[in-house]
Amino acid sequence: MKTVKTAIHFTDNYLISPTNPIEINLIGAGGTGSKVLTALMEMSHSLTELAHPGLQVRLWDDDIITEANLGRQRFAPSETGLYKSVALINRVNRFMGTNWKAETQKFERNTLGVLPENANATIYITCVDNVQVRFDIAEMLKAMSKRRMNRDEPKYWLDFGNSQQTGQVILSTIGEIKQPQSEKYETMASLPMVTDEFGELLKQSEQTDDTASCSLAEALEKQDLYINATLAQMGCSLLWSMFRYGMTENRGFFLNLKNFQTHPLKVA
């Protein structure tokens, strides 16, 4: 009887034993992004305690903090009127003594089609609420993968997305990641991008009303109070396991917070 091997993706070697902190571009500093940043702060400190260089994060967002952001997103009343990215990065740097960076602009090509400065990173994490932005970023990442560099070579894309009470986190490779020989596992060098695998589903689920909320009560009609925090913790746990254990048999999950159901997305 032939034994069916478990499909596994082995983490790229550079993430396990890098010479410098792992460069991460975190795109979006709202309900999910603000909480993902906190999780990355905890992850980076934990990695350094394990003799790893840790993380170097650059946060991209051009939004300004409003009263509607208070409570559901990780902002204080005193920060109203500041750029989300600046407020969050300043807080992390003061708290942990890091030198992470804030960008008060969108992660997008300019009018000449040129990628933004400081766009290179090893890991890209998107926490955006616009479907077209995801497709634009996917095209940018594919273009980056064609011109590989020794440092800050793009390797992974972790995408967070949600509606009011449901959401998903999908891990993708940017190009192929060389896998070791294994007799025990079936290794997978490539994990599909969310825009390739679930492109039509994303387009169908896109909300037509993308106007800014004027109050927390109005914002909660679009996204429930704990959906963002739950996705952030679970999604960053997936990233942590790749650093800690050097492999993963899951490349994401689907979450329904209303009935507390989670469905893992297996590597295949």
Side-chain angles (χ1 to χ4, degrees):
M1 182 177 178
K2 186 177 181 180
T3 303
V4 178
K5 293 182 178 181
T6 302
I8 287 286
H9 174 78
F10 284 94
T11 309
D12 187 274
N13 284 335
Y14 183 69
L15 270 66
I16 305 300
S17 55
T19 54
N20 297 285
I22 299 294
E23 296 276 353
I24 294 180
N25 274 329
L26 175 56
I27 304 166
T32 303
S34 61
K35 295 175 174 64
V36 167
L37 184 70
T38 301
L40 292 176
M41 177 189 73
E42 297 166 345
M43 190 183 307
S44 182
H45 179 73
S46 299
L47 286 170
T48 58
E49 290 296 301
L50 296 170
H52 184 285
L55 310 176
Q56 177 65 32
V57 177
R58 187 176 295 271
L59 178 61
W60 300 75
D61 200 305
D62 67 337
D63 279 351
I64 301 294
I65 301 166
T66 66
E67 289 188 9
N69 301 141
L70 308 181
R72 191 178 62 83
Q73 300 182 19
R74 195 147 287 172
F75 300 110
S78 60
E79 294 171 322
T80 302
L82 300 177
Y83 279 105
K84 290 182 177 180
S85 57
V86 172
L88 289 169
I89 289 296
N90 283 345
R91 192 189 310 161
V92 168
N93 287 342
R94 289 195 300 268
F95 194 81
M96 296 300 295
T98 50
N99 188 31
W100 291 3
K101 305 297 183 182
E103 296 286 349
T104 57
Q105 60 176 309
K106 294 179 179 178
F107 189 86
E108 61 184 5
R109 296 179 186 270
N110 62 21
T111 54
L112 299 177
V114 179
L115 296 172
E117 291 186 19
N118 304 312
N120 296 327
T122 303
I123 300 173
Y124 296 78
I125 302 176
T126 47
C127 305
V128 297
D129 54 10
N130 184 286
V131 171
Q132 186 55 51
V133 171
R134 278 194 182 89
F135 281 93
D136 293 343
I137 290 174
E139 291 304 313
M140 294 166 64
L141 296 182
K142 289 176 181 178
M144 291 179 189
S145 70
K146 295 177 181 178
R147 50 180 184 80
R148 297 262 175 173
M149 301 154 283
N150 291 327
R151 190 164 181 262
D152 302 337
E153 181 180 307
K155 297 181 184 295
Y156 292 101
W157 175 20
L158 189 64
D159 178 69
F160 291 74
N162 70 280
S163 57
Q164 185 181 22
Q165 293 179 316
T166 62
Q168 72 286 329
V169 177
I170 309 292
L171 175 70
S172 311
T173 57
I174 305 173
E176 290 193 351
I177 304 297
K178 186 178 179 181
Q179 300 288 285
Q181 294 291 330
S182 176
E183 296 183 359
K184 183 177 180 180
Y185 300 109
E186 181 182 1
T187 59
M188 295 294 172
S190 180
L191 305 178
M193 288 189 171
V194 60
T195 48
D196 292 334
E197 188 175 18
F198 300 107
E200 290 304 315
L201 185 62
L202 287 173
K203 292 175 182 177
Q204 292 173 12
S205 64
E206 183 173 23
Q207 296 181 358
T208 56
D209 181 14
D210 59 356
T211 55
S213 301
C214 297
S215 68
L216 176 58
E218 186 177 340
L220 290 173
E221 291 299 317
K222 298 178 181 178
Q223 299 184 56
D224 206 25
L225 185 58
Y226 291 110
I227 183 66
N228 305 105
T230 306
L231 286 171
Q233 290 293 305
M234 294 181 66
C236 287
S237 179
L238 171 59
L239 185 60
W240 167 251
S241 69
M242 293 179 64
F243 281 109
R244 191 76 176 97
Y245 306 112
M247 66 171 72
T248 180
E249 62 179 278
N250 299 301
R251 57 188 178 95
F253 60 89
F254 294 93
L255 170 70
N256 186 322
L257 197 57
K258 185 176 182 180
N259 59 19
F260 301 103
Q261 288 187 342
T262 304
H263 179 73
L265 187 61
K266 296 293 184 180
V267 170

